[in-house]
Amino acid sequence: MEPKAVKSNIVLILDYGSQYTHLITRRIRSLSIFSLCISGTSSLKSITDLNPSVIILSGGPHSVHSPDAPSFPDGFVDYVEKNGVFVLGICYGLQLIVQKLGGEVAIGEKQEYGRMVIEVVKDCGGLFGGKKIGDKQVVWMSHGDEAVKLPDGFEVVARSEQGAVAAVENPSKRFYGLQYHPEVTHSPEGMETLRHFLLKICGVEAGWKMQDVMEEEIKVIRGMVGPQDHVICALSGGVDSTVAATLVHKAIGDRLHCVFVDNGLLRYKEQERVMETFEKDLHLPVTCVDASVQFLSELKGVTDPEKKRKIIGKEFIAIFDSFAHSLQQKYGRKPTYLVQGTLYPDVIESCPPPGSGRTHSHTIKSHHNVGGLPKDMKLKLIEPLKLLFKDEVRELGKILDVPVTFLKRHPFPGPGLAVRIPGDVTQGNALDILRQVDEIFIQAIKDAGIYDEIWQAFAVFLPVKTTGVQGDQRTHSNAVALRAVTSQDGMTADWYYFEHKFLDNVSRKICNSVRGVNRVCLDITSKPPSTIEWE
């Protein structure tokens, strides 16, 4: 799904570093409108090439007065005015509009954070539809600066209880601004405001459907891959790569060659279970490569999590290159493309910070299939899901007739258990212990009928020894942690609230069944501040 394919109706979000920016993207897509997020410091050409009908300037942690404050490019205002593009600034985005168009932003006498009440001060059919003067609503504020003088042609639409500007508009120039976050659930009427703005004010059509995504992506793949070309797909056994493979298989048929790599970092009996699913349910052409010795030898002694991810990414590519060579000998033509199930959150978390100075966002981690790929990789990438969130991928999978039971599988990281064993993954029998613990935990969740309530659940092998008493003897064994989270897209997450009886039973079973474990801990940290995986 190339952005240009839906450019006539695209809502483009310029990211200035807000922790909520990805939520804007998701909320707009939930309205059946295609939205795309790019760096707030992208070039004007990057913006004009996408030809958006609406541009949203996100919030961010900076002050517009800061010397390194991010901003839209030179010529931006002229471009949107000449092309009739609607612009909505949110928080920092509003302040950027005010400052750049001739108004004034100052440090607020009273900073506003958290839930606040705003009041409409202008009867309007604009931002707030048919609301009248005096109408109030609760919103989520997060700002220290405030607009104190508006540019010519702008009017205040709403103010906070403290008198700060909460919403502005200039309909003739198509510029609008909100000093709060309409995209978060803490702003109960925020979605209605976004819906009204996009559908009524901007006239965007709510016609973006997953069926269209599938059809458009098939066209893109067929246009990219020549009629005689062969393609390799890296299958992990997860939802993302499987949906990607099924989509590409639909586009080019048997010229797709899937390879499933056992890197020695898989879960309990993962190879057998996954291969059976591929063959019996999905009917995909899959070759299994057991490269566990190769991966584990390269990882021996490595403790830095980023280095582990890079090594794993590099080894995967080496295997794919080797597989491509074997296909060349068989078909007389070497594959030039590699399919991967990269998702939008992977791209967001792995991409370099907007701008070049790490001024308003940070790389969270390098995903093995994004940041972990070597620069000299010989295969070109096909990433048909790179603009989709996880729930959208599952919706696409349903259209492609991927079994629902498979689509409901919890995400499993590309680096596998390597990111669930802090430190050296090859030390002792950590992998075997973790596999057993994880199997007990997941099976207990399934038996309790709560698997579908949880976004992701897994066990972690802790690099510590603890004292215990087992069989009337003192033990000095390993501790493990259990983690289960709820989420919509993996960008934010909260820990799952298990019943005490469930945890008691699981803990007892692990300590009684897995030799070498005498302590079970529960991870009750949300994301943020932590990530879902431990590394």
Side-chain angles (χ1 to χ4, degrees):
M1 178 186 49
E2 293 302 311
K4 286 187 177 182
V6 285
K7 66 181 180 179
S8 62
N9 220 29
I10 190 172
V11 175
L12 183 64
I13 296 138
L14 298 187
D15 176 19
Y16 291 107
S18 168
Q19 62 180 312
Y20 303 124
T21 299
H22 71 280
L23 278 178
I24 305 173
T25 311
R26 286 199 51 74
R27 297 293 185 256
I28 294 173
R29 290 188 183 187
S30 72
L31 297 173
S32 298
I33 298 170
F34 181 68
S35 61
L36 183 67
C37 177
I38 66 174
S39 168
T41 54
S42 295
S43 68
L44 184 62
K45 186 178 186 303
S46 297
I47 296 170
T48 59
D49 281 351
L50 293 170
N51 193 22
S53 57
V54 181
I55 296 175
I56 295 179
L57 311 179
S58 85
H62 279 252
S63 166
V64 292
H65 302 297
S66 174
D68 59 350
S71 179
F72 44 70
D74 292 338
F76 174 82
V77 175
D78 286 341
Y79 162 73
V80 296
E81 289 184 356
K82 289 179 181 178
N83 290 274
V85 179
F86 289 84
V87 179
L88 173 66
I90 295 177
C91 291
Y92 177 82
L94 177 149
Q95 296 167 12
L96 202 55
I97 290 173
V98 170
Q99 185 205 50
K100 293 296 183 181
L101 271 66
E104 183 180 345
V105 176
I107 298 174
E109 294 183 8
K110 294 182 179 180
Q111 297 180 337
E112 297 180 321
Y113 298 100
R115 287 184 177 87
M116 304 287 291
V117 175
I118 65 170
E119 180 178 334
V120 175
V121 296
K122 175 195 171 188
D123 286 331
C124 60
L127 275 171
F128 300 117
K131 289 189 178 297
K132 303 296 183 182
I133 293 175
D135 286 348
K136 298 180 180 181
Q137 62 177 287
V138 175
V139 300
W140 187 259
M141 291 280 196
S142 181
H143 68 100
D145 291 352
E146 64 179 82
V148 295
K149 179 185 176 183
L150 298 185
D152 292 343
F154 280 77
E155 291 186 274
V156 177
V157 179
R159 291 185 180 273
S160 70
E161 286 185 317
Q162 298 183 143
V165 171
V168 302
E169 63 182 19
N170 184 336
S172 64
K173 284 185 174 290
R174 297 184 175 86
F175 275 88
Y176 299 79
L178 299 172
Q179 189 55 73
Y180 63 90
H181 289 279
E183 69 273 19
V184 302
T185 55
H186 303 303
S187 298
E189 298 182 54
M191 271 301 292
E192 182 53 41
T193 299
L194 285 175
R195 179 185 290 105
H196 177 78
F197 173 72
L198 294 171
L199 300 180
K200 300 299 183 182
I201 297 178
C202 304
V204 177
E205 295 181 8
W208 187 64
K209 303 187 297 295
M210 206 50 59
Q211 181 72 31
D212 297 335
V213 172
M214 182 190 74
E215 293 172 359
E216 180 58 39
E217 191 56 42
I218 287 174
K219 290 179 184 177
V220 170
I221 294 167
R222 287 173 177 167
M224 182 187 304
V225 180
Q228 303 299 320
D229 288 341
H230 290 260
V231 176
I232 293 174
C233 180
L235 277 177
S236 68
V239 174
D240 309 332
S241 63
T242 301
V243 172
T246 306
L247 181 62
V248 176
H249 190 250
K250 189 176 182 68
I252 65 173
D254 291 340
R255 289 184 290 125
L256 172 71
H257 307 275
C258 299
V259 56
F260 174 71
V261 179
D262 185 343
N263 57 6
L265 302 166
L266 301 178
R267 291 169 291 192
Y268 185 76
K269 292 187 176 180
E270 183 84 352
Q271 183 189 127
E272 302 98 292
R273 293 170 177 174
V274 166
M275 288 302 294
E276 184 178 4
T277 299
F278 287 152
E279 293 169 5
K280 289 187 177 181
D281 298 329
L282 301 174
H283 310 293
L284 288 173
V286 184
T287 299
C288 181
V289 176
D290 189 339
S292 53
V293 174
Q294 178 179 332
F295 276 84
L296 296 180
S297 62
E298 290 294 322
L299 289 168
K300 187 174 180 59
V302 178
T303 58
D304 179 73
E306 277 294 281
K307 189 173 181 181
K308 285 194 281 188
R309 289 176 179 271
K310 298 288 186 182
I311 289 172
I312 292 168
K314 181 179 179 181
E315 290 306 311
F316 268 121
I317 297 304
I319 290 170
F320 300 146
D321 279 338
S322 175
F323 185 63
H325 182 70
S326 66
L327 289 176
Q328 181 181 21
Q329 292 179 320
K330 182 176 181 179
Y331 296 102
R333 191 180 184 93
K334 188 174 182 179
T336 53
Y337 291 96
L338 171 66
V339 178
Q340 291 197 138
T342 307
L343 300 193
Y344 202 28
D346 296 343
V347 175
I348 293 171
E349 289 192 341
S350 295
C351 67
S356 58
R358 290 187 175 272
T359 55
H360 52 285
S361 72
H362 298 276
T363 297
I364 306 300
K365 59 189 176 185
S366 292
H367 290 260
H368 82 290
N369 57 342
V370 183
L373 298 178
K375 294 180 180 179
D376 60 349
M377 187 180 74
K378 299 180 180 66
L379 296 165
K380 300 175 184 178
L381 286 179
I382 295 177
E383 297 173 302
L385 313 179
K386 68 181 178 181
L387 297 181
L388 300 180
F389 290 95
K390 176 70 78 171
D391 58 330
E392 294 169 334
V393 172
R394 288 190 168 116
E395 185 181 346
L396 178 59
K398 290 179 183 177
I399 297 173
L400 290 166
D401 294 324
V402 176
V404 174
T405 52
F406 193 88
L407 293 174
K408 290 183 177 180
R409 292 192 80 194
H410 290 178
F412 185 63
L417 300 183
V419 293
R420 296 176 180 175
I421 302 177
D424 185 353
V425 301
T426 67
Q427 193 167 23
N429 59 341
L431 282 165
D432 289 336
I433 290 175
L434 182 55
R435 287 190 182 101
Q436 295 176 63
V437 173
D438 189 76
E439 177 71 6
I440 292 171
F441 183 37
I442 299 302
Q443 190 58 52
I445 288 174
K446 291 178 177 178
D447 292 343
I450 55 177
Y451 185 83
D452 292 344
E453 298 177 18
I454 298 170
W455 164 269
Q456 193 171 2
F458 56 89
V460 179
F461 181 92
L462 303 181
V464 295
K465 295 279 190 178
T466 72
T467 302
V469 179
Q470 292 172 296
D472 295 327
Q473 293 182 346
R474 179 185 180 277
T475 59
H476 194 232
S477 299
N478 301 289
V480 295
L482 306 180
R483 180 145 174 79
V485 298
T486 57
S487 179
Q488 281 193 316
D489 51 39
M491 295 296 292
T492 59
D494 196 10
W495 58 283
Y496 183 81
Y497 289 63
F498 289 109
E499 292 184 0
H500 286 183
K501 185 177 181 181
F502 173 88
L503 293 172
D504 180 45
N505 290 338
V506 169
S507 176
R508 289 175 186 274
K509 189 167 186 178
I510 290 172
C511 290
N512 290 338
S513 305
V514 183
R515 187 179 297 276
V517 175
N518 66 0
R519 193 175 301 272
V520 178
C521 308
L522 180 67
D523 184 346
I524 58 170
T525 321
S526 62
K527 175 187 180 180
S530 71
T531 55
I532 294 177
E533 297 290 347
W534 275 46
E535 288 196 337

